[in-house]
PDB file of all heavy atoms in Angstrom:
ATOM      1  N   TYR A 144       9.661  20.095  19.378  1.00 98.00           N
ATOM      2  CA  TYR A 144       8.424  20.349  18.662  1.00 98.00           C
ATOM      3  C   TYR A 144       7.242  19.682  19.377  1.00 98.00           C
ATOM      4  O   TYR A 144       6.206  20.319  19.603  1.00 98.00           O
ATOM      5  CB  TYR A 144       8.500  19.832  17.224  1.00 98.00           C
ATOM      6  CG  TYR A 144       7.145  19.792  16.555  1.00 98.00           C
ATOM      7  CD1 TYR A 144       6.557  20.953  16.073  1.00 98.00           C
ATOM      8  CD2 TYR A 144       6.434  18.590  16.471  1.00 98.00           C
ATOM      9  CE1 TYR A 144       5.291  20.928  15.504  1.00 98.00           C
ATOM     10  CE2 TYR A 144       5.168  18.562  15.904  1.00 98.00           C
ATOM     11  CZ  TYR A 144       4.598  19.730  15.418  1.00 98.00           C
ATOM     12  OH  TYR A 144       3.330  19.699  14.874  1.00 98.00           O
ATOM     13  N   LEU A 145       7.394  18.412  19.736  1.00 98.00           N
ATOM     14  CA  LEU A 145       6.295  17.709  20.395  1.00 98.00           C
ATOM     15  C   LEU A 145       5.938  18.353  21.727  1.00 98.00           C
ATOM     16  O   LEU A 145       4.763  18.465  22.089  1.00 98.00           O
ATOM     17  CB  LEU A 145       6.659  16.236  20.609  1.00 98.00           C
ATOM     18  CG  LEU A 145       6.236  15.233  19.545  1.00 98.00           C
ATOM     19  CD1 LEU A 145       6.545  13.818  19.988  1.00 98.00           C
ATOM     20  CD2 LEU A 145       4.754  15.373  19.209  1.00 98.00           C
ATOM     21  N   LYS A 146       6.943  18.764  22.474  1.00 98.00           N
ATOM     22  CA  LYS A 146       6.691  19.418  23.755  1.00 98.00           C
ATOM     23  C   LYS A 146       5.892  20.699  23.545  1.00 98.00           C
ATOM     24  O   LYS A 146       4.946  20.984  24.288  1.00 98.00           O
ATOM     25  CB  LYS A 146       8.019  19.719  24.455  1.00 98.00           C
ATOM     26  CG  LYS A 146       7.862  20.377  25.826  1.00 98.00           C
ATOM     27  CD  LYS A 146       7.140  19.460  26.811  1.00 98.00           C
ATOM     28  CE  LYS A 146       7.045  20.101  28.186  1.00 98.00           C
ATOM     29  NZ  LYS A 146       6.230  19.270  29.128  1.00 98.00           N
ATOM     30  N   ALA A 147       6.247  21.467  22.511  1.00 98.00           N
ATOM     31  CA  ALA A 147       5.564  22.731  22.253  1.00 98.00           C
ATOM     32  C   ALA A 147       4.127  22.522  21.778  1.00 98.00           C
ATOM     33  O   ALA A 147       3.203  23.216  22.218  1.00 98.00           O
ATOM     34  CB  ALA A 147       6.339  23.545  21.219  1.00 98.00           C
ATOM     35  N   VAL A 148       3.936  21.554  20.871  1.00 97.00           N
ATOM     36  CA  VAL A 148       2.610  21.373  20.277  1.00 97.00           C
ATOM     37  C   VAL A 148       1.628  20.731  21.254  1.00 97.00           C
ATOM     38  O   VAL A 148       0.404  20.836  21.084  1.00 97.00           O
ATOM     39  CB  VAL A 148       2.715  20.550  18.966  1.00 97.00           C
ATOM     40  CG1 VAL A 148       2.801  19.051  19.235  1.00 97.00           C
ATOM     41  CG2 VAL A 148       1.544  20.860  18.038  1.00 97.00           C
ATOM     42  N   THR A 149       2.136  20.066  22.290  1.00 97.00           N
ATOM     43  CA  THR A 149       1.251  19.436  23.282  1.00 97.00           C
ATOM     44  C   THR A 149       1.184  20.229  24.593  1.00 97.00           C
ATOM     45  O   THR A 149       0.589  19.762  25.559  1.00 97.00           O
ATOM     46  CB  THR A 149       1.722  18.005  23.598  1.00 97.00           C
ATOM     47  OG1 THR A 149       3.062  18.046  24.124  1.00 97.00           O
ATOM     48  CG2 THR A 149       1.688  17.141  22.354  1.00 97.00           C
ATOM     49  N   LYS A 150       1.782  21.397  24.618  1.00 96.00           N
ATOM     50  CA  LYS A 150       1.797  22.212  25.837  1.00 96.00           C
ATOM     51  C   LYS A 150       0.377  22.456  26.348  1.00 96.00           C
ATOM     52  O   LYS A 150      -0.507  22.864  25.596  1.00 96.00           O
ATOM     53  CB  LYS A 150       2.477  23.546  25.569  1.00 96.00           C
ATOM     54  CG  LYS A 150       2.599  24.432  26.792  1.00 96.00           C
ATOM     55  CD  LYS A 150       3.276  25.748  26.449  1.00 96.00           C
ATOM     56  CE  LYS A 150       3.375  26.648  27.684  1.00 96.00           C
ATOM     57  NZ  LYS A 150       4.011  27.937  27.354  1.00 96.00           N
ATOM     58  N   ASP A 151       0.169  22.155  27.611  1.00 94.00           N
ATOM     59  CA  ASP A 151      -1.118  22.351  28.290  1.00 94.00           C
ATOM     60  C   ASP A 151      -2.242  21.476  27.739  1.00 94.00           C
ATOM     61  O   ASP A 151      -3.412  21.681  28.098  1.00 94.00           O
ATOM     62  CB  ASP A 151      -1.549  23.826  28.233  1.00 94.00           C
ATOM     63  CG  ASP A 151      -0.547  24.755  28.895  1.00 94.00           C
ATOM     64  OD1 ASP A 151       0.080  24.339  29.882  1.00 94.00           O
ATOM     65  OD2 ASP A 151      -0.385  25.895  28.404  1.00 94.00           O
ATOM     66  N   ARG A 152      -1.911  20.506  26.892  1.00 97.00           N
ATOM     67  CA  ARG A 152      -2.948  19.633  26.346  1.00 97.00           C
ATOM     68  C   ARG A 152      -3.280  18.524  27.334  1.00 97.00           C
ATOM     69  O   ARG A 152      -2.388  17.845  27.850  1.00 97.00           O
ATOM     70  CB  ARG A 152      -2.496  19.028  25.016  1.00 97.00           C
ATOM     71  CG  ARG A 152      -2.227  20.044  23.915  1.00 97.00           C
ATOM     72  CD  ARG A 152      -3.499  20.741  23.444  1.00 97.00           C
ATOM     73  NE  ARG A 152      -4.487  19.831  22.914  1.00 97.00           N
ATOM     74  CZ  ARG A 152      -4.521  19.424  21.642  1.00 97.00           C
ATOM     75  NH1 ARG A 152      -3.591  19.849  20.790  1.00 97.00           N
ATOM     76  NH2 ARG A 152      -5.449  18.609  21.228  1.00 97.00           N
ATOM     77  N   LYS A 153      -4.559  18.315  27.575  1.00 96.00           N
ATOM     78  CA  LYS A 153      -5.001  17.296  28.523  1.00 96.00           C
ATOM     79  C   LYS A 153      -5.379  15.989  27.834  1.00 96.00           C
ATOM     80  O   LYS A 153      -5.640  14.980  28.501  1.00 96.00           O
ATOM     81  CB  LYS A 153      -6.186  17.823  29.332  1.00 96.00           C
ATOM     82  CG  LYS A 153      -5.830  19.019  30.208  1.00 96.00           C
ATOM     83  CD  LYS A 153      -7.029  19.483  31.023  1.00 96.00           C
ATOM     84  CE  LYS A 153      -6.648  20.666  31.911  1.00 96.00           C
ATOM     85  NZ  LYS A 153      -7.800  21.152  32.720  1.00 96.00           N
ATOM     86  N   ALA A 154      -5.387  15.981  26.517  1.00 96.00           N
ATOM     87  CA  ALA A 154      -5.732  14.765  25.777  1.00 96.00           C
ATOM     88  C   ALA A 154      -4.631  13.725  25.931  1.00 96.00           C
ATOM     89  O   ALA A 154      -3.454  14.069  26.134  1.00 96.00           O
ATOM     90  CB  ALA A 154      -5.927  15.100  24.302  1.00 96.00           C
ATOM     91  N   PRO A 155      -4.961  12.434  25.853  1.00 97.00           N
ATOM     92  CA  PRO A 155      -3.942  11.370  25.933  1.00 97.00           C
ATOM     93  C   PRO A 155      -2.929  11.504  24.808  1.00 97.00           C
ATOM     94  O   PRO A 155      -3.268  11.903  23.692  1.00 97.00           O
ATOM     95  CB  PRO A 155      -4.762  10.078  25.786  1.00 97.00           C
ATOM     96  CG  PRO A 155      -6.162  10.453  26.135  1.00 97.00           C
ATOM     97  CD  PRO A 155      -6.321  11.885  25.709  1.00 97.00           C
ATOM     98  N   ILE A 156      -1.693  11.151  25.081  1.00 97.00           N
ATOM     99  CA  ILE A 156      -0.632  11.288  24.094  1.00 97.00           C
ATOM    100  C   ILE A 156      -0.919  10.487  22.828  1.00 97.00           C
ATOM    101  O   ILE A 156      -0.608  10.937  21.717  1.00 97.00           O
ATOM    102  CB  ILE A 156       0.746  10.888  24.697  1.00 97.00           C
ATOM    103  CG1 ILE A 156       1.862  11.070  23.677  1.00 97.00           C
ATOM    104  CG2 ILE A 156       0.717   9.472  25.247  1.00 97.00           C
ATOM    105  CD1 ILE A 156       1.971  12.468  23.093  1.00 97.00           C
ATOM    106  N   LYS A 157      -1.526   9.315  22.973  1.00 97.00           N
ATOM    107  CA  LYS A 157      -1.817   8.541  21.762  1.00 97.00           C
ATOM    108  C   LYS A 157      -2.763   9.301  20.844  1.00 97.00           C
ATOM    109  O   LYS A 157      -2.557   9.359  19.631  1.00 97.00           O
ATOM    110  CB  LYS A 157      -2.421   7.186  22.115  1.00 97.00           C
ATOM    111  CG  LYS A 157      -2.613   6.312  20.864  1.00 97.00           C
ATOM    112  CD  LYS A 157      -3.378   5.046  21.129  1.00 97.00           C
ATOM    113  CE  LYS A 157      -3.603   4.317  19.805  1.00 97.00           C
ATOM    114  NZ  LYS A 157      -4.636   3.290  19.895  1.00 97.00           N
ATOM    115  N   GLN A 158      -3.781   9.912  21.417  1.00 96.00           N
ATOM    116  CA  GLN A 158      -4.731  10.693  20.624  1.00 96.00           C
ATOM    117  C   GLN A 158      -4.034  11.866  19.943  1.00 96.00           C
ATOM    118  O   GLN A 158      -4.297  12.171  18.770  1.00 96.00           O
ATOM    119  CB  GLN A 158      -5.847  11.206  21.529  1.00 96.00           C
ATOM    120  CG  GLN A 158      -6.875  12.076  20.835  1.00 96.00           C
ATOM    121  CD  GLN A 158      -7.941  12.571  21.800  1.00 96.00           C
ATOM    122  OE1 GLN A 158      -8.333  11.876  22.734  1.00 96.00           O
ATOM    123  NE2 GLN A 158      -8.402  13.790  21.600  1.00 96.00           N
ATOM    124  N   LEU A 159      -3.117  12.507  20.623  1.00 97.00           N
ATOM    125  CA  LEU A 159      -2.406  13.651  20.061  1.00 97.00           C
ATOM    126  C   LEU A 159      -1.493  13.231  18.913  1.00 97.00           C
ATOM    127  O   LEU A 159      -1.345  13.954  17.923  1.00 97.00           O
ATOM    128  CB  LEU A 159      -1.596  14.351  21.156  1.00 97.00           C
ATOM    129  CG  LEU A 159      -2.425  15.027  22.254  1.00 97.00           C
ATOM    130  CD1 LEU A 159      -1.524  15.522  23.376  1.00 97.00           C
ATOM    131  CD2 LEU A 159      -3.253  16.184  21.685  1.00 97.00           C
ATOM    132  N   LEU A 160      -0.883  12.060  19.029  1.00 98.00           N
ATOM    133  CA  LEU A 160      -0.002  11.576  17.961  1.00 98.00           C
ATOM    134  C   LEU A 160      -0.779  11.167  16.720  1.00 98.00           C
ATOM    135  O   LEU A 160      -0.271  11.257  15.596  1.00 98.00           O
ATOM    136  CB  LEU A 160       0.832  10.389  18.458  1.00 98.00           C
ATOM    137  CG  LEU A 160       1.902  10.703  19.506  1.00 98.00           C
ATOM    138  CD1 LEU A 160       2.544   9.411  19.999  1.00 98.00           C
ATOM    139  CD2 LEU A 160       2.964  11.646  18.947  1.00 98.00           C
ATOM    140  N   LEU A 161      -2.000  10.719  16.898  1.00 96.00           N
ATOM    141  CA  LEU A 161      -2.820  10.309  15.760  1.00 96.00           C
ATOM    142  C   LEU A 161      -3.480  11.495  15.063  1.00 96.00           C
ATOM    143  O   LEU A 161      -3.992  11.352  13.946  1.00 96.00           O
ATOM    144  CB  LEU A 161      -3.899   9.319  16.215  1.00 96.00           C
ATOM    145  CG  LEU A 161      -3.401   7.938  16.643  1.00 96.00           C
ATOM    146  CD1 LEU A 161      -4.551   7.099  17.193  1.00 96.00           C
ATOM    147  CD2 LEU A 161      -2.727   7.212  15.488  1.00 96.00           C
ATOM    148  N   ASP A 162      -3.453  12.649  15.697  1.00 96.00           N
ATOM    149  CA  ASP A 162      -4.027  13.858  15.109  1.00 96.00           C
ATOM    150  C   ASP A 162      -3.074  14.370  14.027  1.00 96.00           C
ATOM    151  O   ASP A 162      -1.954  14.799  14.314  1.00 96.00           O
ATOM    152  CB  ASP A 162      -4.212  14.917  16.200  1.00 96.00           C
ATOM    153  CG  ASP A 162      -4.963  16.144  15.712  1.00 96.00           C
ATOM    154  OD1 ASP A 162      -4.945  16.415  14.497  1.00 96.00           O
ATOM    155  OD2 ASP A 162      -5.557  16.849  16.551  1.00 96.00           O
ATOM    156  N   GLN A 163      -3.510  14.326  12.766  1.00 95.00           N
ATOM    157  CA  GLN A 163      -2.646  14.697  11.648  1.00 95.00           C
ATOM    158  C   GLN A 163      -2.215  16.161  11.684  1.00 95.00           C
ATOM    159  O   GLN A 163      -1.259  16.546  11.016  1.00 95.00           O
ATOM    160  CB  GLN A 163      -3.357  14.410  10.331  1.00 95.00           C
ATOM    161  CG  GLN A 163      -3.748  12.944  10.150  1.00 95.00           C
ATOM    162  CD  GLN A 163      -2.543  12.031  10.061  1.00 95.00           C
ATOM    163  OE1 GLN A 163      -1.817  12.042   9.078  1.00 95.00           O
ATOM    164  NE2 GLN A 163      -2.322  11.234  11.103  1.00 95.00           N
ATOM    165  N   ARG A 164      -2.900  16.984  12.472  1.00 96.00           N
ATOM    166  CA  ARG A 164      -2.500  18.378  12.610  1.00 96.00           C
ATOM    167  C   ARG A 164      -1.228  18.508  13.448  1.00 96.00           C
ATOM    168  O   ARG A 164      -0.518  19.513  13.347  1.00 96.00           O
ATOM    169  CB  ARG A 164      -3.624  19.197  13.252  1.00 96.00           C
ATOM    170  CG  ARG A 164      -4.872  19.300  12.378  1.00 96.00           C
ATOM    171  CD  ARG A 164      -6.026  19.883  13.153  1.00 96.00           C
ATOM    172  NE  ARG A 164      -6.425  19.015  14.263  1.00 96.00           N
ATOM    173  CZ  ARG A 164      -7.429  19.278  15.088  1.00 96.00           C
ATOM    174  NH1 ARG A 164      -8.144  20.386  14.930  1.00 96.00           N
ATOM    175  NH2 ARG A 164      -7.734  18.441  16.064  1.00 96.00           N
ATOM    176  N   ASN A 165      -0.934  17.493  14.246  1.00 98.00           N
ATOM    177  CA  ASN A 165       0.271  17.521  15.081  1.00 98.00           C
ATOM    178  C   ASN A 165       1.452  16.843  14.407  1.00 98.00           C
ATOM    179  O   ASN A 165       2.582  17.311  14.497  1.00 98.00           O
ATOM    180  CB  ASN A 165      -0.015  16.838  16.426  1.00 98.00           C
ATOM    181  CG  ASN A 165      -1.056  17.584  17.243  1.00 98.00           C
ATOM    182  OD1 ASN A 165      -1.133  18.812  17.174  1.00 98.00           O
ATOM    183  ND2 ASN A 165      -1.865  16.853  17.992  1.00 98.00           N
ATOM    184  N   VAL A 166       1.178  15.733  13.751  1.00 97.00           N
ATOM    185  CA  VAL A 166       2.223  15.002  13.031  1.00 97.00           C
ATOM    186  C   VAL A 166       1.558  14.235  11.897  1.00 97.00           C
ATOM    187  O   VAL A 166       0.486  13.642  12.081  1.00 97.00           O
ATOM    188  CB  VAL A 166       3.014  14.070  13.975  1.00 97.00           C
ATOM    189  CG1 VAL A 166       2.089  13.141  14.742  1.00 97.00           C
ATOM    190  CG2 VAL A 166       4.055  13.268  13.218  1.00 97.00           C
ATOM    191  N   ALA A 167       2.163  14.258  10.729  1.00 96.00           N
ATOM    192  CA  ALA A 167       1.534  13.708   9.524  1.00 96.00           C
ATOM    193  C   ALA A 167       1.845  12.228   9.353  1.00 96.00           C
ATOM    194  O   ALA A 167       3.001  11.824   9.393  1.00 96.00           O
ATOM    195  CB  ALA A 167       2.011  14.473   8.290  1.00 96.00           C
ATOM    196  N   GLY A 168       0.798  11.431   9.171  1.00 94.00           N
ATOM    197  CA  GLY A 168       0.995  10.061   8.707  1.00 94.00           C
ATOM    198  C   GLY A 168       1.070   8.972   9.750  1.00 94.00           C
ATOM    199  O   GLY A 168       1.113   7.795   9.399  1.00 94.00           O
ATOM    200  N   LEU A 169       1.108   9.336  11.031  1.00 95.00           N
ATOM    201  CA  LEU A 169       1.164   8.276  12.037  1.00 95.00           C
ATOM    202  C   LEU A 169      -0.186   7.590  12.159  1.00 95.00           C
ATOM    203  O   LEU A 169      -1.227   8.236  12.121  1.00 95.00           O
ATOM    204  CB  LEU A 169       1.576   8.839  13.394  1.00 95.00           C
ATOM    205  CG  LEU A 169       3.022   9.277  13.554  1.00 95.00           C
ATOM    206  CD1 LEU A 169       3.286   9.731  14.994  1.00 95.00           C
ATOM    207  CD2 LEU A 169       3.983   8.164  13.175  1.00 95.00           C
ATOM    208  N   GLY A 170      -0.156   6.270  12.333  1.00 92.00           N
ATOM    209  CA  GLY A 170      -1.370   5.486  12.491  1.00 92.00           C
ATOM    210  C   GLY A 170      -1.311   4.625  13.734  1.00 92.00           C
ATOM    211  O   GLY A 170      -0.326   4.623  14.483  1.00 92.00           O
ATOM    212  N   ASN A 171      -2.363   3.874  13.952  1.00 93.00           N
ATOM    213  CA  ASN A 171      -2.553   3.151  15.205  1.00 93.00           C
ATOM    214  C   ASN A 171      -1.442   2.150  15.515  1.00 93.00           C
ATOM    215  O   ASN A 171      -0.946   2.073  16.641  1.00 93.00           O
ATOM    216  CB  ASN A 171      -3.905   2.436  15.161  1.00 93.00           C
ATOM    217  CG  ASN A 171      -4.374   1.995  16.524  1.00 93.00           C
ATOM    218  OD1 ASN A 171      -4.199   2.692  17.509  1.00 93.00           O
ATOM    219  ND2 ASN A 171      -4.956   0.808  16.588  1.00 93.00           N
ATOM    220  N   ILE A 172      -1.051   1.375  14.515  1.00 91.00           N
ATOM    221  CA  ILE A 172      -0.052   0.319  14.756  1.00 91.00           C
ATOM    222  C   ILE A 172       1.252   0.914  15.274  1.00 91.00           C
ATOM    223  O   ILE A 172       1.780   0.511  16.327  1.00 91.00           O
ATOM    224  CB  ILE A 172       0.242  -0.463  13.464  1.00 91.00           C
ATOM    225  CG1 ILE A 172      -0.999  -1.218  12.988  1.00 91.00           C
ATOM    226  CG2 ILE A 172       1.397  -1.453  13.692  1.00 91.00           C
ATOM    227  CD1 ILE A 172      -0.820  -1.864  11.624  1.00 91.00           C
ATOM    228  N   TYR A 173       1.763   1.892  14.553  1.00 92.00           N
ATOM    229  CA  TYR A 173       3.114   2.380  14.847  1.00 92.00           C
ATOM    230  C   TYR A 173       3.135   3.298  16.056  1.00 92.00           C
ATOM    231  O   TYR A 173       4.167   3.411  16.733  1.00 92.00           O
ATOM    232  CB  TYR A 173       3.695   3.040  13.598  1.00 92.00           C
ATOM    233  CG  TYR A 173       3.740   2.039  12.463  1.00 92.00           C
ATOM    234  CD1 TYR A 173       2.830   2.105  11.419  1.00 92.00           C
ATOM    235  CD2 TYR A 173       4.631   0.971  12.487  1.00 92.00           C
ATOM    236  CE1 TYR A 173       2.832   1.153  10.412  1.00 92.00           C
ATOM    237  CE2 TYR A 173       4.634   0.015  11.492  1.00 92.00           C
ATOM    238  CZ  TYR A 173       3.736   0.105  10.457  1.00 92.00           C
ATOM    239  OH  TYR A 173       3.719  -0.851   9.472  1.00 92.00           O
ATOM    240  N   VAL A 174       2.014   3.945  16.367  1.00 96.00           N
ATOM    241  CA  VAL A 174       1.938   4.719  17.610  1.00 96.00           C
ATOM    242  C   VAL A 174       1.966   3.780  18.809  1.00 96.00           C
ATOM    243  O   VAL A 174       2.674   4.030  19.789  1.00 96.00           O
ATOM    244  CB  VAL A 174       0.681   5.615  17.619  1.00 96.00           C
ATOM    245  CG1 VAL A 174       0.450   6.188  19.010  1.00 96.00           C
ATOM    246  CG2 VAL A 174       0.832   6.750  16.615  1.00 96.00           C
ATOM    247  N   CYS A 175       1.215   2.686  18.739  1.00 96.00           N
ATOM    248  CA  CYS A 175       1.259   1.696  19.832  1.00 96.00           C
ATOM    249  C   CYS A 175       2.673   1.168  20.041  1.00 96.00           C
ATOM    250  O   CYS A 175       3.170   1.082  21.176  1.00 96.00           O
ATOM    251  CB  CYS A 175       0.320   0.532  19.530  1.00 96.00           C
ATOM    252  SG  CYS A 175      -1.441   0.884  19.714  1.00 96.00           S
ATOM    253  N   GLU A 176       3.342   0.833  18.949  1.00 96.00           N
ATOM    254  CA  GLU A 176       4.689   0.275  19.036  1.00 96.00           C
ATOM    255  C   GLU A 176       5.699   1.305  19.571  1.00 96.00           C
ATOM    256  O   GLU A 176       6.544   0.987  20.409  1.00 96.00           O
ATOM    257  CB  GLU A 176       5.132  -0.236  17.667  1.00 96.00           C
ATOM    258  CG  GLU A 176       4.402  -1.488  17.211  1.00 96.00           C
ATOM    259  CD  GLU A 176       4.743  -2.696  18.068  1.00 96.00           C
ATOM    260  OE1 GLU A 176       5.905  -3.119  18.063  1.00 96.00           O
ATOM    261  OE2 GLU A 176       3.835  -3.200  18.746  1.00 96.00           O
ATOM    262  N   ALA A 177       5.614   2.542  19.093  1.00 97.00           N
ATOM    263  CA  ALA A 177       6.568   3.570  19.509  1.00 97.00           C
ATOM    264  C   ALA A 177       6.371   3.951  20.969  1.00 97.00           C
ATOM    265  O   ALA A 177       7.350   4.154  21.710  1.00 97.00           O
ATOM    266  CB  ALA A 177       6.431   4.801  18.616  1.00 97.00           C
TER     267      ALA A 177
END
Side-chain angles (χ1 to χ4, degrees):
Y144 167 78
L145 267 186
K146 181 63 177 175
V148 81
T149 60
K150 183 180 179 181
D151 300 326
R152 298 292 300 273
K153 296 182 179 180
I156 182 56
K157 185 188 176 196
Q158 178 181 325
L159 294 172
L160 291 174
L161 291 175
D162 187 336
Q163 301 295 289
R164 294 169 296 181
N165 296 327
V166 54
L169 288 184
N171 196 38
I172 295 173
Y173 301 105
V174 168
C175 286
E176 289 293 296

